[in-house]
Amino acid sequence: MSFAPRGRFAPTPSGALHVGSARTALASALSVWSAGGRWILRVEDLDAVRVAPGATAAMLADLRWLGLDWDEGPDVGGPVGPYAQRDRAARYQSALDSLRAHGQVYPCACSRRDIELAAQAPHGVEPIYLNTCRDHDPAVVIAHARSLGRGVSWRFRTDPARPPVVIFDRVSAAFTQCVSDEVGDFVVMRADSVASYQLAVVVDDLAMGITEVVRGYDLLASTPRQVLLYAAIGASAPTWAHVPLVLGDDGARLAKRSGSMGIAALRERGVSAEWLRGWLLESLGARDRGSLRASAVDFDIMSVDPAPVVWRAPP
Ligand code: GLU
């Protein structure tokens, strides 16, 4: 593989692509193209419950309508495919096996309810895992789960002596998190043998040679976990840029209102691709030079405003 930068957009096809995700897609493409690199599209369709039927095809069509064309992806192929996570399960399993062989993960028999009860977290707040199964004999934990008719999840063993992880972000302010205190040992493989987002994203970004991650601000709090996984695997992490969310004019996150702010819905209301592209480029501080590849020439991800942007409906 060459040393040219590689970036990616990695959407979960859980519904209609909305303005906020389209903006993130554009930011990641412009950033890596501005450095002469390649932009990869990876479909994060691991979680069958979240994947909406037909959403992948609709999402790709929306991105193309906006004028985005990826250098590698599920429909165009490339050297490091497959580009859809559901076709990559064996890779996650072998990463888990290797973490197991190095004692970096352990089995956990706790259900979600067990964890909520142990943590006494208020409803709706992600509970901190109190490392309940960490020091138990793995064989006993596995047998216990089996007796309850369940599988075990596998958790990454965080090191309480490790200094907090500091993320130097190219857009957002530096972010510090002590994963062992603030998150606890986290799941890398779920009890239904589906890899967690944290493991899958690291395995794939590494295998695909990703050198820069540009994604939504809502994922910043996941990044320290991923940094710990890179360190455990002995690989260096990519650079990070978490771009701010797009808010509706009522201040609510667009993700929650993706029906009305969906790209397809806007298109049906007569909004043109040119207008939307212009709005998105302007919101990222980029000059519209006709095509997106041309607009990338003088784009600088570090100049993106870290404050959330408010969606302005077309005139
Ligand atoms: N699949 C994630 C999402 O749609 C993005 C993952 C990433 O960019 O790391 O929110």
Side-chain angles (χ1 to χ4, degrees):
M1 199 173 290
S2 75
F3 291 101
R6 291 172 63 83
R8 87 313 190 261
F9 177 54
T12 299
S14 52
L17 187 81
H18 58 79
V19 172
S21 326
R23 183 169 182 267
T24 303
L26 234 78
S28 66
L30 293 177
S31 174
V32 77
W33 285 337
S34 74
R38 286 169 75 79
W39 186 54
I40 289 119
L41 184 77
R42 182 175 71 233
V43 179
E44 299 212 326
D45 54 0
L46 259 191
D47 190 345
V49 177
R50 287 184 64 205
V51 173
T56 299
M59 212 171 57
L60 301 195
D62 288 346
L63 291 168
R64 287 215 192 280
W65 177 75
L66 267 175
L68 279 160
D69 61 319
W70 33 101
D71 301 301
E72 297 168 31
D75 51 345
V76 296
V80 291
Y83 292 89
Q85 288 192 326
R86 71 167 55 162
D87 300 327
R88 302 179 63 83
R91 290 165 169 86
Y92 312 136
Q93 185 58 50
S94 75
L96 178 74
D97 293 344
S98 145
L99 290 169
R100 258 180 94 169
H102 292 91
Q104 284 159 320
V105 292
Y106 62 86
C108 167
C110 297
S111 67
R112 199 174 176 81
R113 178 105 187 100
D114 296 335
I115 295 165
E116 277 163 7
L117 285 174
Q120 295 185 315
H123 187 70
V125 173
E126 193 57 40
I128 296 172
Y129 177 64
L130 299 178
N131 301 347
T132 316
C133 296
R134 181 181 174 119
D135 298 320
H136 293 165
D137 178 340
V140 171
V141 173
I142 292 170
H144 173 61
R146 196 168 293 148
S147 74
L148 297 171
R150 301 204 288 251
V152 289
S153 57
W154 289 86
R155 288 184 180 269
F156 182 79
R157 192 182 287 279
T158 59
D159 175 2
R162 191 191 198 283
V165 178
V166 184
I167 307 297
F168 294 102
D169 200 90
R170 294 200 289 161
V171 171
S172 300
F175 177 73
T176 304
Q177 188 182 62
C178 179
V179 179
S180 59
D181 289 354
E182 295 175 56
V183 179
D185 292 347
F186 56 91
V187 172
V188 290
M189 186 70 76
R190 301 182 341 193
D192 59 1
S193 300
V194 174
S196 73
Y197 159 65
Q198 311 296 350
L199 180 67
V201 75
V202 168
V203 167
D204 289 346
D205 282 342
L206 256 177
M208 294 182 176
I210 300 301
T211 56
E212 56 171 77
V213 167
V214 176
R215 60 185 173 197
Y217 183 79
D218 52 330
L219 290 165
L220 181 55
S222 286
T223 307
R225 274 170 271 179
Q226 293 165 27
V227 167
L228 295 187
L229 285 173
Y230 278 101
I233 292 170
S236 50
T239 60
W240 309 105
H242 290 86
V243 300
L245 302 174
V246 179
L247 305 178
D249 47 18
D250 57 357
R253 266 181 70 173
L254 279 196
K256 301 263 186 284
R257 313 164 8 134
S258 51
S260 57
M261 296 307 166
I263 303 301
L266 291 170
R267 184 169 59 227
E268 276 151 31
R269 293 216 311 263
V271 175
S272 71
E274 292 68 35
W275 185 88
L276 188 53
R277 202 161 53 220
W279 186 84
L280 292 169
L281 285 170
E282 194 189 322
S283 80
L284 290 166
R287 293 252 318 262
D288 191 348
R289 297 180 184 275
S291 81
L292 289 176
R293 287 189 191 253
S295 305
V297 169
D298 52 2
F299 178 74
D300 180 0
I301 189 77
M302 308 239 289
S303 323
V304 172
D305 187 341
V309 274
V310 176
W311 164 245
R312 181 164 52 81

